[in-house]
Amino acid sequence: MNFPAYRPRRLRRTEVLRRMVRETALTPDDLVLPLFVTFGKGVKKPISSMPGHFQLSVDNVKKEAREVKALGIPAVILFGIPEKKDETGSSASDPKGPVQEAIKAIKDRVPELVVITDVCMCEYTNHGHCGIIKDRDVDNDSTLDLLAEEALSHARSGADMVAPSDMMDGRVGAIRTALDENGFSAIPIMSYAAKYSSAFYGPFREAAESTPEFGDRRSYQMDPSNTDEALREVALDIEEGADIVMVKPALPYLDIIRRIKDNFGYPVAAYNVSGEFSMIKAAAEKGWLDGEKAMMESLVSIKRAGAGMILTYFAKEAAKTLGKTFL
Ligand code: PBG
């Protein structure tokens, strides 16, 4: 395989040839769109750091769900912005909360669309942390019951899948037990297994109004420097009953996606988080890069790294671009 006998450029000469030897193909089937559901009616409040994204009330979520399905995107993941927040995030399990109502509305109008719910306390607590506070830190074991209760309430409202993002130890097991004991053994768990303590969540915290009031999340989310620890987190979650394991964020952690893909025979999801989205949007707005190309390159690289599912704020735009390319 030496030059001049081998010339890699031969197969790059035309678009058709490039298509024939392409190793990774992105499709709308790979995408999951995150949605922010708020209380009230007729609400469509723009999220300033995430152009094209909004806090939506349930009526508008319903409309959005129809559009998502029409684009060939198979699933959405819901985040809630409740009317009231308190010390223990008690509205997380409110059967009439925004997420619970949105699940019912989507399943009623667009039943084929898979509804995944984010299970975490940070949107519901007045201090913005992902669980119950004791001695200025999140108390692991007392938080587990609340998470199990929240997941159960999503399942009771008709969620197709629950996705715990809190990073408490033992939460997948606690949620699995609660679901099984209440007749929901068929509901899968997508665990945020390797979730890093990341600066790239900034815009999301504006969107979900979940910035911690004091301190940060480093006592529960992972240290960005670690990779073996991600394998231990995934192994634990699988043992506790996770059906899909997620890496988050995506682009700064492609090596983690690949290691997990190679080490476990499980479906791997990756969360292309808010900061990854906003960076590209901001640079494109300034004319510093081609936003559409940067989007497609990012998404294909996440899939190439080993993710079979990509949670991304680009889902609708990417599905439209894919439609253009292949029609
Ligand atoms: C809740 C949660 C977060 C994200 C998803 N679920 C924020 C956080 O941990 O602070 C981030 C998603 C994104 O940035 O797009 N724990």
Side-chain angles (χ1 to χ4, degrees):
M1 226 182 51
N2 282 324
F3 176 81
Y6 183 61
R7 289 177 181 268
R9 287 185 57 188
R10 283 185 199 125
L11 293 177
R12 290 184 206 141
R13 207 166 43 83
T14 68
E15 177 54 18
V16 186
L17 284 171
R18 288 191 294 272
R19 263 171 58 195
M20 287 172 72
V21 296
R22 196 157 282 156
E23 296 174 46
T24 308
L26 191 71
T27 84
D29 285 338
D30 304 324
L31 309 172
V32 178
L33 177 71
L35 292 176
F36 299 99
V37 195
T38 190
F39 55 93
K41 267 208 182 95
V43 184
K44 189 172 180 183
K45 186 176 164 207
I47 299 158
S48 64
S49 54
M50 299 174 70
H53 287 270
F54 305 85
Q55 292 182 349
L56 300 170
S57 52
V58 173
D59 48 331
N60 282 325
V61 167
K62 235 181 331 193
K63 279 189 214 151
E64 182 74 1
R66 274 199 295 266
E67 203 185 315
V68 170
K69 198 213 146 202
L71 285 167
I73 298 164
V76 291
I77 179 163
L78 303 182
F79 295 89
I81 299 117
E83 199 165 4
K84 284 191 216 92
K85 302 189 184 213
D86 60 20
E87 201 55 29
T88 57
S90 56
S91 61
S93 305
D94 179 358
K96 294 211 171 325
V99 166
Q100 287 82 351
E101 293 292 346
I103 301 167
K104 284 180 242 167
I106 298 172
K107 293 314 303 184
D108 184 44
R109 283 299 185 81
V110 200
E112 311 84 354
L113 191 67
V114 171
V115 178
I116 308 169
T117 58
D118 183 84
V119 175
C120 192
M121 303 311 295
C122 64
E123 298 120 75
Y124 302 95
T125 53
N126 52 13
H127 44 72
H129 277 287
C130 301
I132 291 180
I133 299 293
K134 272 190 198 150
D135 304 326
R136 289 183 78 75
D137 196 5
V138 177
D139 184 62
N140 196 87
D141 296 10
S142 56
T143 299
L144 298 182
D145 296 337
L146 299 183
L147 293 166
E149 200 49 48
E150 181 183 3
L152 196 52
S153 126
H154 294 167
R156 285 193 177 117
S157 303
D160 295 299
M161 194 184 299
V162 293
S165 69
D166 53 284
M167 288 302 277
M168 296 304 117
D169 297 330
R171 93 277 208 210
V172 173
I175 292 172
R176 187 70 271 161
T177 305
L179 291 174
D180 290 354
E181 283 175 354
N182 288 278
F184 295 107
S185 59
I187 300 295
I189 298 175
M190 173 195 274
S191 79
Y192 289 68
K195 176 173 177 178
Y196 287 86
S197 180
S198 172
F200 291 97
Y201 305 149
F204 171 95
R205 293 181 186 169
E206 179 206 334
E209 300 175 9
S210 63
T211 307
E213 213 170 46
F214 63 89
D216 52 41
R217 302 204 202 289
R218 282 181 295 176
S219 78
Y220 41 106
Q221 299 180 347
M222 283 181 58
D223 185 326
S225 306
N226 295 352
T227 163
D228 290 342
E229 188 189 357
L231 299 191
R232 295 197 296 275
E233 279 282 7
V234 169
L236 266 173
D237 283 8
I238 288 174
E239 223 162 88
E240 291 176 31
D243 300 279
I244 299 168
V245 288
M246 194 203 294
V247 176
K248 178 183 171 189
L251 292 176
Y253 300 90
L254 295 180
D255 57 324
I256 309 295
I257 297 175
R258 172 49 58 193
R259 273 195 91 187
I260 291 173
K261 185 67 195 159
D262 288 344
N263 274 277
F264 302 90
Y266 269 70
V268 177
Y271 202 139
N272 179 222
V273 301
S274 55
E276 300 174 60
F277 170 83
S278 301
M279 278 195 303
I280 290 179
K281 284 289 176 196
E285 253 173 42
K286 283 184 173 284
W288 288 351
L289 48 68
D290 179 328
E292 188 181 45
K293 288 204 172 109
M295 160 181 80
M296 295 312 281
E297 185 178 336
S298 301
L299 296 175
V300 97
S301 70
I302 296 166
K303 183 160 184 192
R304 191 196 61 229
M309 268 162 267
I310 306 170
L311 291 78
T312 178
Y313 303 96
F314 285 122
K316 283 167 62 185
E317 282 169 78
K320 285 178 195 158
T321 299
L322 289 167
K324 270 193 276 181
T325 315
F326 294 110
L327 283 180

